[in-house]
Every structure is written in structure tokens, then in C-alpha cells.
Amino acid sequence: MKNSVKIILLNPLFEYSRKSIYNVISKHDPPLGLIQLSAYLNQNNVSALVIDLNVEISNYSELPNFFKNLISQYDITEETYFGIPFLTTFSKNSYELAFFIKKMFPKNKIVAGGAHATFMPNEVLENENIDFVVRGEGEITTLELLQGKNINFIDGISYKEINDNEIKLKHNQCRKRIKDINILPIPDYKQLKIERYRPVLGSYKSLPAINIITSRGCPGKCTFCCRTFGNYTSFLNAEKIFDIIKYLINNFNVKQVNFYDDTFTLNKKRVIELCRLIISNNIKIDWTCFSRVDKVDNDLLKLMKRAGCYQIMYGIENFNSDVLFDINKKINIEKAFEVIKLTKSNKINTRVSLLIGNPKDTTDILDYNLQQLRKMKPDIVVFNITTPFPGTELFNWAKSENRLLTEDWSMYDGKQAVMKIDGMSEKQIYNYYHKMYFKFYFRLAFILVSIKNIQNFTILISYIKVFFLLLKFFIKRIFSR
């Protein structure tokens, strides 16, 4: 007997642009939003299936056979919905997937969610293959839709209303945020083929490694940041996070977790509680997180190190105070230097992110940034080209000032210039993206320090792969000019 399914949540097939360094050093991340949604729906007796096409097929020409196999396993009726996440960079892939689904299942409904659908609901709904858009948090809205609640009374949903052959786009009022996300079940990791996922090269110490998100929302107001959940921040408590870690260890033999919260240490109290739970229960787990330089201190770093933290990513973005003010990144550069030094003194590796092509950037400022990075000496630097994603203050500014070079969303990958600024040309921004990677990493001093910091065989293999893949990437770029 086939298993019945009410909704099939499909992560679109995608790949990074060949212009992106991530094309050579990164594999795909697991679809955490989909497995959280499926866990909630299944908990409420609405059968949900998650499929990440990135680990199932190599191209969309394989979809017909893939769905034939799926139909042989599951009872897919005309009442079965399909859900597709829309991220700006890969929205083209989501539209393509919707086209294939509608062609194969013309009577079934397709639901779009995710950041791009949340901030661009008209664009998404105007696509003939999309029936509904779920904006913001998707759990309650999707559940009510699948349970058959009157569409007019479902908060957070957008849909098409057809009267006399005229289609009108309707947007119901926004849904209030879930105040306590601890009520949500543990994400349904069992629906994923976890062994096929691997973090970015250079960002893991132990394998298997998997990602976790333990909060929603961000109180910051950086102009380049897309806040799908708004400024209100809700947190999983330490006990719930600890339960998730134990679940991953017991079920998948996970040896490392990566906390993908915007600022994991925003709530210091729960980080302290989590660290103490890990230490007191003698749990052996390596972990990484993202933080801000104003959200850690020496005592916290010491405790995090004892609990298994071995790498922290800090968002610096720029070393010029005028640029930082303009993008509303409220950090102090002197403090940043102190915290990087403090983190390293606690034997925790440091990753730093920098943006290239901010509205007030110039070549002189970026050269200065490179000098300061060499002085700061982080273990890893991640460079991205400043990108005005829909839903950000930066996008609204660029759109209103006619500074968008394109609205081809596939180019919004943080590796290509899509916005005009006064101080640099598009070509200069793109060249500096590669120049800064090359000049930071391909230095004898950096290579020697990296070798000294190698802690185990897994890191050694990762670093060797990174070095040769980056070298190959830069050689290709030189000869393609």
C-alpha cells in the first residue's frame, strides 16, 4: 500500500555561478526551512514529504523519471500540494521547477515560500504556475491552507482571485510571529540524506557535520540584510538546542554542528547554559557559529571553547567608519581588532566577512581594507560583493535611485556587481572581489600560519583541497580574460 502525502516540499536544483568561488569550494546546504516545516505539519497530522533535488538528480531532464518513481511509492492525488522555496539568487530555478510540476501535475496546487516570495509576492504570483505564496513564517499559514481553512481568513497568505476571467492578486494581512519557537518540533532531519551534505571547505573540523538554526529574526538594521522574520528575535532555549544536538549525534553520528543563526551569541545567557549542558554531560561535539564583535567577551569565549566551539564568524564588512555608518553596521573597529585577538588567544579560529562594492566604497578604501585584514590576521576571510536583495533597505535605495544594473535574480549571488556606485565601476568591483581573495590567501605568511594551525587529518585534507581549487579558479580566470 502506498503512503499518502498531502504536500511534497521540493528544494530546487541549483548551482553557484561559475564566477563564484563558492562554485569550487562549496556543496549545497540542507534545506533547514523545509525540514522544520515538514516536522510541524506531520506533528499536526498533515503528511509532508521533503525532497532535496540537489542530492537526487543532476538536471531537470531527469524529473519525469524521478516523479514516476515517486508516484510508485506515494499516493499522489489531485489533492496533493507541492511546496517550493524561493530564494532570490535561485528564484529562476524555482520557477523552472514550478513549470515542470505544473506540466506533469496540471490540477495540483503549488505553494511558494521563502525570502523572495515574501518580499516579491506579486512577481511570484504573476507566474502562471504558482497558486499561493506563504509570506514570512510558514508553519501555521501552510497548516491552515492544507487543512482547508477559508482562504480569506488565513493570515500571511497571498493568492489569485478570479472573477469574470479577471485575475486579481490578493494579499491577506501579515501573520503575527510565533513568539515561542520552542513549541516547534525538532526539524525532520530523517527526511534528508545527511551523508550527502558537507559544509564549505575550510569551515569544518569533523565529519559528519550538519547545520542548525536556533533563532529567528535579527534586531540589527544593516541596510544590506534581508530580515524575512523582522526585527523581533525569538530563541530556542538551551535545553531544546541540547536535545537537537543529542538527536543528531544519536541518529546520524554527527560530530560537528554549525549554528547558522545571524548572531548566535545575541542571547549570552542561553549560550552559557548550553555550554554548561554540553560540558556537564560530557558531550563531545565540535561546533561553529556566527557572532558580532560586540556580543562576546573573554569569559564567554573561554566557556565556548571548553564546550567544543572551534571557529567563530564575525561580520566586519568594512574597516572604514564612513562606509560602516552608511550601511548601518554599528561596530567599532578597535573593538573588532580586540575581539579577533581575544578569540584567537582562546584558541578559537576566526572567520571574518567583508563586503566589496558598498555605496561609499572606493579602490583606496578596499586597498586599506586589505591592509587592515593583514594586520588583523583572521584565519579565514569571506569576501562578497554587496548585493541589494529584495526586502532590504539597500534594494529600496538602489531601485529608487535607478542604480540597479539588472533584475536578473540569478546574478544576485554576492559574486557579481548588480548595483551602480559612485566610487567604483562594475568591472573594478568584480576585479577587486578576486584580487582581495588572491592577495589575502596566496601569501607565504598566511600559508605558513595555516599549516601551523592544522589540528587533524580532516582539516589537512580540507585545506589542501581549498588551496588547489582556488588556485585552479584563479588560473582559469586569468586565461579567460
Side-chain angles (χ1 to χ4, degrees):
M1 183 177 177
K2 296 180 183 179
N3 296 320
S4 63
V5 60
K6 183 63 177 178
I7 186 168
I8 301 174
L9 302 167
L10 288 157
N11 199 36
L13 185 68
F14 65 85
E15 63 179 14
Y16 292 101
S17 162
R18 291 181 180 179
K19 296 181 178 181
S20 170
I21 285 176
Y22 279 84
N23 185 268
V24 297
I25 66 170
S26 176
K27 289 186 178 290
H28 302 294
D29 290 329
L32 299 181
L34 295 188
I35 59 173
Q36 180 67 81
L37 175 58
S38 70
Y40 180 80
L41 295 175
N42 284 311
Q43 183 186 62
N44 286 276
N45 300 313
V46 174
S47 56
L49 176 67
V50 175
I51 300 170
D52 184 358
L53 293 175
N54 294 288
V55 299
E56 299 290 347
I57 62 176
S58 57
N59 58 70
Y60 278 157
S61 67
E62 299 176 24
L63 270 181
N65 285 333
F66 174 81
F67 277 117
K68 284 179 183 178
N69 291 331
L70 197 66
I71 291 170
S72 69
Q73 301 174 57
Y74 294 92
D75 184 19
I76 301 175
T77 70
E78 292 179 4
E79 300 301 315
T80 302
Y81 286 68
F82 290 89
I84 304 175
F86 274 72
L87 299 177
T88 297
T89 309
F90 306 114
S91 58
K92 182 178 179 180
N93 306 71
S94 297
Y95 286 126
E96 188 176 0
L97 176 58
F99 170 81
F100 274 99
I101 293 173
K102 212 65 168 182
K103 185 177 180 180
M104 298 182 69
F105 304 93
K107 295 183 179 181
N108 293 66
K109 303 296 185 183
I110 297 178
V111 185
H116 192 76
T118 294
F119 294 113
M120 304 292 283
N122 283 350
E123 177 203 293
V124 176
L125 271 182
E126 284 169 359
N127 184 280
E128 61 181 355
N129 300 307
I130 306 297
D131 299 287
F132 304 101
V133 165
V134 171
R135 310 187 316 270
E137 284 181 317
E139 286 85 7
I140 299 174
T141 302
T142 305
L143 178 64
E144 291 180 352
L145 174 65
L146 298 179
Q147 287 177 333
K149 184 175 181 178
N150 187 320
I151 194 73
N152 296 298
F153 302 106
I154 300 178
D155 292 346
I157 202 162
S158 299
Y159 57 98
K160 298 169 182 174
E161 187 176 78
I162 304 175
N163 292 313
D164 299 325
N165 294 322
E166 183 182 359
I167 300 177
K168 290 186 177 180
L169 305 185
K170 306 283 288 186
H171 306 288
N172 290 358
Q173 68 178 7
C174 294
R175 179 171 294 280
K176 292 181 179 179
R177 287 277 310 281
I178 298 172
K179 294 294 184 182
D180 182 12
I181 60 174
N182 291 284
I183 67 169
L184 298 175
I186 290 176
D188 201 353
Y189 286 94
K190 287 185 177 180
Q191 294 220 38
L192 301 178
K193 296 179 178 177
I194 285 187
E195 71 280 0
R196 298 193 183 181
Y197 297 97
R198 191 165 289 188
V200 175
L201 283 171
S203 69
Y204 57 84
K205 178 181 179 182
S206 306
L207 294 172
I210 198 69
N211 303 339
I212 302 177
I213 294 178
T214 70
S215 62
R216 291 181 176 180
C218 177
K221 295 183 179 180
C222 302
T223 62
F224 55 86
C225 186
C226 177
R227 291 178 290 277
T228 309
F229 300 123
N231 288 115
Y232 172 76
T233 309
S234 51
F235 300 96
L236 291 181
N237 59 41
E239 291 78 11
K240 186 65 174 279
I241 302 171
F242 186 65
D243 287 343
I244 294 173
I245 292 173
K246 288 192 298 180
Y247 169 84
L248 291 171
I249 293 173
N250 294 335
N251 288 278
F252 306 103
N253 195 32
V254 164
K255 293 181 171 56
Q256 175 174 323
V257 295
N258 303 307
F259 293 109
Y260 263 47
D261 309 72
D262 291 331
T263 308
F264 180 66
T265 59
L266 192 62
N267 184 331
K268 290 184 182 180
K269 180 181 177 182
R270 72 168 189 146
V271 177
I272 292 170
E273 291 173 355
L274 174 63
C275 290
R276 288 173 176 167
L277 281 171
I278 292 173
I279 294 167
S280 63
N281 286 276
N282 198 31
I283 298 296
K284 302 301 180 184
I285 190 78
D286 295 315
W287 54 277
T288 71
C289 66
F290 301 157
S291 186
R292 285 174 56 100
V293 296
D294 54 357
K295 295 299 177 183
V296 295
D297 55 49
N298 192 47
D299 289 340
L300 181 62
L301 290 170
K302 284 182 182 297
L303 187 61
M304 289 169 65
K305 175 63 179 179
R306 285 183 58 205
C309 177
Y310 86 93
Q311 186 183 99
I312 300 176
M313 168 84 142
Y314 293 106
I316 304 294
E317 316 312 354
N318 208 286
F319 287 90
N320 181 280
S321 57
D322 290 336
V323 173
L324 289 173
F325 180 83
D326 186 63
I327 62 176
N328 206 29
K329 182 73 178 181
K330 296 181 178 179
I331 62 169
N332 179 280
I333 293 302
E334 289 184 6
K335 175 72 173 178
F337 273 90
E338 292 173 7
V339 167
I340 295 298
K341 184 177 180 180
L342 191 63
T343 305
K344 290 165 76 72
S345 72
N346 280 287
K347 301 188 184 309
I348 298 175
N349 288 351
T350 55
R351 291 171 70 195
V352 164
S353 65
L354 232 73
L355 289 174
I356 299 167
N358 296 293
K360 290 191 177 297
D361 266 340
T362 64
T363 56
D364 287 342
I365 288 175
L366 293 182
D367 286 333
Y368 175 74
N369 282 343
L370 190 56
Q371 293 172 8
Q372 295 302 104
L373 279 174
R374 290 172 174 172
K375 181 180 176 183
M376 180 176 272
K377 299 179 181 178
D379 298 291
I380 297 174
V381 181
V382 178
F383 298 100
N384 284 295
I385 294 176
T386 307
T387 304
F389 290 104
T392 66
E393 183 181 331
L394 187 61
F395 178 82
N396 295 335
W397 171 80
K399 182 83 170 175
S400 64
E401 296 291 325
N402 196 30
R403 289 178 177 266
L404 295 180
L405 295 169
T406 179
E407 289 190 44
D408 175 354
W409 305 124
S410 65
M411 294 181 67
Y412 282 57
D413 60 359
K415 322 303 171 192
Q416 302 176 74
V418 296
M419 176 181 67
K420 291 184 290 187
I421 64 173
D422 295 331
M424 297 178 68
S425 68
E426 175 188 357
K427 184 177 181 180
Q428 284 177 315
I429 293 171
Y430 181 68
N431 285 340
Y432 262 82
Y433 168 68
H434 293 86
K435 173 184 175 180
M436 294 181 77
Y437 261 115
F438 189 83
K439 290 205 168 185
F440 181 80
Y441 284 105
F442 288 88
R443 294 177 292 127
L444 180 60
F446 175 81
I447 293 171
L448 291 175
V449 170
S450 298
I451 292 173
K452 182 181 177 182
N453 289 337
I454 291 174
Q455 300 174 36
N456 61 31
F457 185 71
T458 301
I459 294 178
L460 171 63
I461 296 300
S462 175
Y463 278 16
I464 291 173
K465 286 182 178 179
V466 169
F467 179 82
F468 284 106
L469 285 171
L470 287 179
L471 187 61
K472 181 180 178 181
F473 179 84
F474 287 118
I475 290 173
K476 275 187 175 181
R477 180 175 177 272
I478 291 169
F479 284 101
S480 66
R481 285 181 173 178

